Amino acid sequence: MKGHYKVDPWKIIEEGFEPLHQEASESLFSIGNGRFGQRANFEENYSGSTLQGSYIGGIYYPDKTLVGWWKNGYPEYFAKVLNAPNWIGISIEVDGEEIDLAQNKVIEFERILDMRNGVLQRNFIVEINNGNQIQVNSTRFCSLTSDSIGAIRYNIKPLNFSGNFNVSPYIDADVKNEDSNYNEKFWDVTQSEIKPHFGFIKSTTKKSAFVVNTGMMCNILLDGLQLEIEPETVKKEAYIANKFDFYGTEGSEISVLKFATYTTSFNHDQKDLNYETEEVLKSAVSKGFTNLLEEHQKAWQALWQFGDIKIEGDDAAQQAIRFNIFHLHQTYTGKDERLNIGPKGFTGEKYGGSTYWDTEAYCLQFYLSTAGEKVAENLLQYRHNQLDKAIENATKLGFKNGAALYPMVTINGEECHNEWEITFEEIHRNGAIAFAIYNYTNYTGKTAYRDGNGIEILLAISRFWAQRVNWSTAKEKYVLLGVTGPNEYENNVNNNWYTNYLACWTLRYTAEVLNDLKKTNPNRISKLVEEHNLNFDSETTFWKRIIDNIYYPVDDKTGVLLQQEGFLDKELVPISELNTSERPINQHWSWDRILRSAYIKQGDVIQGLYFFEHEFSKEEIKRNFDFYEQFTVHESSLSPCIHSILACSIGSIERAYEHYLATARLDLDDYNKEVHEGLHITSMAGTWKSIVEGFGGMRYKNDCLSFNPTLPKQWSALTFNVLYRGQQIKFNCSSSLITITNMGSEKVNISLLNEMFVLQPSKSQKKEL
């Protein structure tokens, strides 16, 4: 699919209609506002291959787990974000023939995602069977300022004829999820109402009992003037429409204005939903499409004014990073601590729209640096809100005394994943949550969250690690058996280096926080003793014994940190010798063959070296990077960005650039041949990291923000902003000069190419490369 979409710094442009790419385009051109999102399905009816997708944050269904056999501790269901009632529909008939791009002759077609303004546009000309040609221009957005509103302006022009038109804006609640385990529909329609220009359908999710009103108000203009006709109302079991019949003359322009809303029990009292639905729509109509659009565009432009990354000299890289930033902001705004970031966001159904460890390991830093401390803290608070469920989850698996195992996949805090090698064994997710608390505290310089809700999470996770290890008499070390690391191409392994290191780091960090609290806030320790049964001396003493005696697999000959015990027993054939026709291997090889191979989906050791880079020398990082890169197939979307960052840190800029393109254009060029299922939202945060932390060389430690940039030869300049401790810091780097500017009101400690200084407000520091 590479080359199908034009390279443009601010837009994604598709020229020419290609049905084979339709589902991929529906993903790529998706829009959203953090509250709900919409795949780029057509407004008019389309009989070709499509994945109709409208999704609402926080609204889920517990779909019964589909497995052939059961294990103690398995979840009974997989919670998934639902395909919601279709709000965009506008069916068009001309002289009795329906406009359908799968059936009509498409003369011209253009689809544009305007990322600067958050708008989806589509322009096409079709010819129906009798030779009549119709031009359509549609504009659609999910309002960033009124986040329960979606709006459409759909312009129709008869080019070479005059004829009878039937235009029917509608809502269709007869929807299903493509990923339904038993082909079950997840909604019950409980009420519907339709009258001229207004209607709604009230639907209730089965089992989870969320109530959603999908409402619309619509109008039709002819050459800019309201068409004074009364629409016919259509009401079926799960469908409502306003049917406008009129005569359209050649060259005239028919404009359909449709405002729609999802008003939900997630945000409103159920008894108020009908009233709220009508009021929010009245407000939108009163404001008007143009004014609502202008407000929305200004909100996006404000985001870009601070959060843009500018790359000079490389339009493909420039387009890619803006594409990634755009989808991150429209997936999560941080307004609601009950919401989180699914790996597909609002662009598809795979992974159920649920929360993974991706949020803490990849996404937190993006929002912390671009949206601010409160938005990032809401992501941390999401986990504290679900701490009781994490403790309950660990209890089901036999852990005691308030130990917590956070779920691999969740919406409401309960584990939803049902593959044993993931559910029970990919326990490194616990460590990523602990690391996020450390990362937030280190970056902001504030300990309030860490010492409040954070220490409760750290304590519960540390208790899990302390119970999960066991003493090996043979090794005279503590070991972690039967685990799966981030590299899911190796399951049920012993002593995965990354998991062992992360477990001990968590124990060490938790003990440090407790010791600090013992000195500075003994009352907090007393509350932990009272509320969480903390035994300070015995628990921290045992943790230290584990830390001092954990087993780390290392190859004595080369000094390489081993993914796990026995890794070197594999047949170490580098990917350079793998036939490209067999890639990706997860689509060509048996699982047995993958598990026995040395090929790595994403690197465990590499992930650990990224997290704890400050604890290893450049030589150690380079040694392990060079060894593992030759076996890493990057068939996880989360993999290339980490390799790009570490490649920069060891001075391998060409490799860093290759990995950057692989992560930044993963979806635009469909590297893994799966974009039709939805976009890789969480890895997009890794793309941001690969620029800011990779080529920008940004790090933060010892109350200092440091930059050690190196640009790829393809770039003539790089500019970005970060929020750091409440101050806006602007970074600009060309091939010969670095400039750091403090746009804030307070001084900031800065290190530039390892030279320390204090950067005063409104001042810049420059240094030649």
Side-chain angles (χ1 to χ4, degrees):
M1 197 174 67
K2 186 175 181 180
H4 180 67
Y5 306 99
K6 288 183 64 176
V7 173
D8 182 280
W10 277 108
K11 296 175 181 178
I12 311 300
I13 302 171
E14 180 181 21
E15 292 182 337
F17 180 56
E18 177 50 72
L20 291 176
H21 294 323
Q22 173 60 10
E23 291 187 44
S25 294
E26 289 173 350
S27 298
L28 292 168
F29 291 80
S30 296
I31 56 174
N33 61 11
R35 184 68 64 185
F36 73 99
Q38 175 67 50
R39 283 172 61 86
N41 310 116
F42 296 159
E43 290 89 357
E44 70 280 356
N45 297 334
Y46 179 67
S47 60
S49 179
T50 181
L51 172 59
Q52 179 68 43
S54 308
Y55 309 104
I56 308 170
I59 306 296
Y60 68 89
Y61 173 83
D63 195 13
K64 185 173 175 57
T65 297
L66 181 64
V67 292
W69 41 272
W70 206 259
K71 297 289 185 185
N72 288 335
Y74 261 8
E76 295 184 358
Y77 66 87
F78 190 106
K80 53 188 57 171
V81 171
L82 303 186
N83 191 359
N86 176 13
W87 64 274
I88 66 171
I90 304 172
S91 66
I92 313 291
E93 289 185 3
V94 182
D95 290 333
E97 185 174 345
E98 184 176 58
I99 293 182
D100 177 351
L101 270 64
Q103 304 298 324
N104 305 143
K105 179 181 178 181
V106 181
I107 298 172
E108 293 181 11
F109 182 92
E110 181 183 54
R111 180 162 25 193
I112 301 171
L113 181 63
D114 180 351
M115 298 182 290
R116 190 197 301 267
N117 294 301
V119 175
L120 174 62
Q121 298 170 302
R122 191 162 52 97
N123 312 301
F124 64 88
I125 297 174
V126 294
E127 182 177 284
I128 56 179
N129 289 337
N130 60 11
N132 291 342
Q133 294 182 0
I134 302 104
Q135 182 183 70
V136 172
N137 308 104
S138 71
T139 301
R140 183 162 89 209
F141 63 97
C142 299
S143 175
L144 208 57
T145 53
S146 302
D147 63 9
S148 64
I149 286 290
I152 301 169
R153 182 174 59 209
Y154 193 91
N155 296 335
I156 311 162
K157 181 180 290 188
L159 296 180
N160 61 350
F161 71 100
S162 299
N164 295 308
F165 281 76
N166 166 249
V167 177
S168 299
Y170 66 85
I171 292 172
D172 182 8
D174 185 20
V175 295
K176 65 179 181 180
N177 271 47
E178 186 180 72
D179 67 350
S180 170
N181 282 335
Y182 291 89
N183 293 318
E184 181 183 4
K185 292 186 177 180
F186 300 147
W187 298 92
D188 286 322
V189 174
T190 55
Q191 183 185 359
S192 62
E193 180 180 329
I194 186 66
K195 55 187 179 182
H197 308 288
F198 169 76
F200 70 85
I201 294 180
K202 179 176 288 184
S203 307
T204 302
T205 59
K206 299 176 181 179
K207 297 183 182 179
S208 51
F210 291 104
V211 183
V212 173
N213 263 17
T214 308
M216 71 171 183
M217 282 188 174
C218 54
N219 220 329
I220 291 189
L221 285 67
L222 185 60
D223 291 330
L225 299 176
Q226 183 166 324
L227 197 59
E228 298 295 340
I229 61 172
E230 190 86 345
E232 176 187 347
T233 59
V234 180
K235 184 176 181 180
K236 301 177 184 177
E237 184 177 354
Y239 176 95
I240 59 171
N242 273 176
K243 183 178 179 182
F244 296 85
D245 288 307
F246 55 92
Y247 190 78
T249 59
E250 181 179 338
S252 61
E253 185 171 70
I254 304 146
S255 297
V256 183
L257 297 181
K258 182 178 184 181
F259 301 88
T261 183
Y262 289 124
T263 312
T264 76
S265 60
F266 191 74
N267 295 311
H268 301 280
D269 193 302
Q270 288 190 32
K271 69 178 187 300
D272 298 330
L273 287 184
N274 292 1
Y275 171 79
E276 293 289 348
T277 298
E278 190 160 5
E279 287 301 302
V280 74
L281 286 170
K282 283 180 178 178
S283 175
V285 171
S286 175
K287 189 168 290 185
F289 184 91
T290 300
N291 290 333
L292 198 65
L293 176 59
E294 287 179 355
E295 287 182 359
H296 169 77
Q297 290 173 326
K298 287 179 181 177
W300 266 109
Q301 289 161 14
L303 282 174
W304 286 117
Q305 186 174 2
F306 172 76
D308 188 22
I309 290 180
K310 297 178 182 177
I311 298 171
E312 296 180 27
D314 189 343
D315 284 347
Q318 177 67 87
Q319 179 190 44
I321 187 56
R322 284 180 175 146
F323 177 75
N324 285 262
I325 293 171
F326 173 77
H327 278 289
L328 284 163
H329 279 310
Q330 66 174 9
T331 299
Y332 182 76
T333 61
K335 295 178 182 178
D336 192 332
E337 66 184 32
R338 297 172 298 172
L339 300 179
N340 209 284
I341 307 152
K344 296 295 182 186
F346 297 122
T347 71
E349 298 172 12
K350 191 174 181 181
Y351 306 118
S354 303
T355 299
Y356 284 63
W357 68 289
D358 309 17
T359 291
E360 286 76 24
Y362 291 82
C363 300
L364 179 79
Q365 189 61 51
F366 168 80
Y367 293 102
L368 183 55
S369 296
T370 64
E373 295 173 8
K374 181 58 181 173
V375 172
E377 187 175 316
N378 278 346
L379 289 173
L380 299 180
Q381 188 59 30
Y382 177 89
R383 294 297 191 177
H384 185 265
N385 292 345
Q386 297 178 354
L387 177 57
D388 288 346
K389 291 287 188 182
I391 293 172
E392 180 183 313
N393 183 44
T395 302
K396 290 177 182 177
L397 302 183
F399 294 86
K400 301 175 182 178
N401 191 33
L405 175 59
Y406 276 92
M408 185 67 183
V409 179
T410 194
I411 286 181
N412 65 356
E414 295 178 277
E415 178 63 80
C416 294
H417 203 283
N418 60 21
E419 295 175 274
W420 65 269
E421 68 274 15
I422 306 299
T423 306
F424 302 143
E425 298 196 340
E426 200 164 337
I427 53 178
H428 66 84
R429 69 229 192 205
N430 250 13
I433 293 167
F435 184 82
I437 296 170
Y438 160 81
N439 194 24
Y440 174 87
T441 304
N442 186 29
Y443 191 80
T444 64
K446 297 177 180 178
T447 60
Y449 183 83
R450 182 200 71 177
D451 297 346
N453 292 339
I455 188 58
E456 296 178 3
I457 296 173
L458 290 169
L459 176 61
I461 289 174
S462 292
R463 284 171 166 171
F464 170 83
W465 288 127
Q467 294 175 47
R468 185 59 169 78
V469 302
N470 65 272
W471 179 257
S472 166
T473 304
K475 288 183 170 63
E476 295 187 336
K477 294 283 185 179
Y478 284 101
V479 294
L480 270 167
L481 307 178
V483 304
T484 299
N487 173 32
E488 294 170 344
Y489 287 176
E490 294 171 316
N491 300 154
N492 195 33
V493 301
N494 294 333
N495 294 309
N496 173 263
W497 181 87
Y498 172 68
T499 306
N500 286 20
Y501 199 92
L502 194 55
C504 284
W505 176 88
T506 303
L507 294 172
R508 186 169 71 242
Y509 180 57
T510 305
E512 289 172 359
V513 175
L514 288 173
N515 277 306
D516 187 46
L517 285 173
K518 190 175 183 181
K519 297 174 186 175
T520 62
N521 192 352
N523 289 336
R524 183 67 179 118
I525 293 291
S526 298
K527 286 197 70 175
L528 291 172
V529 171
E530 178 185 346
E531 297 176 3
H532 296 276
N533 195 31
L534 172 66
N535 190 320
F536 184 94
D537 291 333
S538 67
E539 291 194 71
T540 56
T541 299
F542 182 50
W543 297 348
K544 186 175 188 306
R545 190 154 66 245
I546 295 171
I547 294 165
D548 291 342
N549 294 281
I550 196 73
Y551 175 73
Y552 293 116
V554 179
D555 179 35
D556 293 333
K557 292 181 180 179
T558 62
V560 168
L561 308 170
L562 297 181
Q563 290 256 127
Q564 71 275 333
E565 281 189 88
F567 182 82
L568 295 182
D569 293 333
K570 294 172 178 281
E571 188 177 4
L572 300 177
V573 180
I575 55 176
S576 60
E577 298 180 24
L578 181 62
N579 193 314
T580 56
S581 66
E582 298 182 54
R583 304 278 299 274
I585 62 173
N586 62 19
Q587 296 178 23
H588 293 87
W589 284 18
S590 70
W591 195 243
D592 169 71
R593 188 180 178 189
I594 290 173
L595 291 175
R596 288 186 289 107
S597 78
Y599 299 129
I600 298 169
K601 183 180 181 184
Q602 69 179 109
D604 297 349
V605 171
I606 300 304
Q607 184 74 36
L609 293 174
Y610 164 70
F611 272 170
F612 306 110
E613 181 185 16
H614 56 286
E615 299 182 5
F616 295 89
S617 68
K618 293 290 185 187
E619 291 75 19
E620 287 175 300
I621 294 172
K622 186 177 188 306
R623 180 190 313 134
N624 285 277
F625 184 91
D626 289 343
F627 178 77
Y628 284 112
E629 187 185 33
Q630 62 185 319
F631 305 115
T632 304
V633 291
H634 300 293
E635 289 173 14
S636 165
S637 65
L638 301 173
S639 182
C641 57
I642 300 302
H643 277 70
S644 182
I645 296 166
L646 287 187
C648 283
S649 74
I650 62 175
S652 184
I653 302 305
E654 288 187 13
R655 285 190 288 180
Y657 181 73
E658 291 174 6
H659 289 305
Y660 166 75
L661 287 183
T663 184
R665 298 195 65 86
L666 174 69
D667 292 319
L668 286 173
D669 293 334
D670 198 12
Y671 284 144
N672 287 346
K673 301 177 176 61
E674 59 186 14
V675 75
H676 60 282
E677 298 174 333
L679 306 181
H680 296 84
I681 300 298
T682 50
S683 77
M684 290 177 172
T687 301
W688 180 90
K689 283 171 168 279
S690 66
I691 290 182
V692 175
E693 298 178 2
F695 301 117
M698 188 184 85
R699 302 290 187 274
Y700 38 94
K701 59 182 178 180
N702 301 325
D703 296 320
C704 181
L705 188 67
S706 66
F707 298 93
N708 287 284
T710 309
L711 300 191
K713 62 184 179 182
Q714 293 84 351
W715 301 0
S716 57
L718 170 65
T719 303
F720 60 79
N721 298 286
V722 292
L723 286 169
Y724 176 71
R725 304 197 171 183
Q727 310 307 305
Q728 178 181 340
I729 307 300
K730 184 175 182 179
F731 168 96
N732 177 266
C733 181
S734 68
S735 58
S736 59
L737 182 69
I738 311 168
T739 305
I740 307 295
T741 306
N742 183 356
M743 311 289 286
S745 58
E746 298 179 16
K747 63 184 180 181
V748 176
N749 295 326
I750 296 287
S751 171
L752 185 54
L753 296 178
N754 300 315
E755 180 180 337
M756 300 277 295
F757 57 89
V758 177
L759 189 58
Q760 299 293 337
S762 303
K763 298 295 183 181
S764 296
Q765 182 74 26
K766 298 183 179 182
K767 194 164 186 179
E768 293 183 357
L769 281 172

